[in-house]
Amino acid sequence: MRKTLKKEYLSLAYQLRQEGMSYRAISSKIGVSKTQVHKWLCTFANERPIMHETMGKKNLRNFRPSESEPPSNPSEEEEIARLKSELAKANKELAYQKLRADFYDEMINVAEGKFNISIRKKAGAKQ
């Protein structure tokens, strides 16, 4: 029962924020603290990555959900295009992280050779 009530409050808070009301006005209308309304809307936005990307944490004060909300029923082609772009972005990030790991590994090799010390922890070292 409590979760249902919270969902109703969250839905109402989101709707009021979409209409342009401030956190303080929403909190007085719903009857919860301004901080709680802010936390709800942050959680709500973080659960929707498209909104989260467009608004960012710093822009949460000026967040207008109607501007960044994804279309309600995207076509299959749009969904495929979106998923392909997400996959390309993920692959690019993976390649960057692999390059970064290789760089750190090589940096340790150079440091070990230059200073003649063992930096990497040996397997089975005493604890």
Side-chain angles (χ1 to χ4, degrees):
M1 180 71 174
R2 184 177 168 99
K3 283 190 174 187
T4 307
L5 188 60
K6 182 180 175 185
K7 283 183 181 180
E8 289 176 15
Y9 279 151
L10 176 61
S11 176
L12 180 61
Y14 179 74
Q15 190 175 31
L16 293 173
R17 185 66 181 159
Q18 195 173 16
E19 293 171 4
M21 288 183 74
S22 67
Y23 291 119
R24 189 176 306 269
I26 294 170
S27 68
S28 64
K29 185 165 186 136
I30 293 177
V32 295
S33 71
K34 178 180 78 162
T35 307
Q36 186 62 48
V37 170
H38 187 265
K39 285 180 184 177
W40 282 350
L41 293 175
C42 283
T43 302
F44 188 77
N46 289 337
E47 289 172 356
R48 286 149 182 84
I50 293 173
M51 283 188 238
H52 183 65
E53 284 178 17
T54 57
M55 69 181 205
K57 292 275 186 193
K58 294 177 183 174
N59 298 329
L60 200 56
R61 193 175 298 255
N62 302 323
F63 172 54
R64 298 290 185 268
S66 60
E67 296 171 1
S68 58
E69 203 169 313
S72 57
N73 290 328
S75 70
E76 190 173 323
E77 294 84 20
E78 290 172 341
E79 184 68 18
I80 290 171
R82 185 185 65 80
L83 290 173
K84 282 183 180 180
S85 69
E86 284 182 23
L87 180 61
K89 188 176 180 181
N91 284 338
K92 186 177 179 181
E93 178 66 23
L94 177 64
Y96 171 75
Q97 291 302 332
K98 283 182 179 179
L99 182 65
R100 187 173 174 214
D102 289 343
F103 170 75
Y104 284 133
D105 191 44
E106 188 60 31
M107 189 169 59
I108 290 171
N109 290 339
V110 169
E112 284 178 338
K114 184 174 182 177
F115 298 113
N116 200 21
I117 58 172
S118 178
I119 296 174
R120 288 187 180 85
K121 185 175 180 179
K122 294 177 175 64
K126 294 181 183 179
Q127 294 181 357

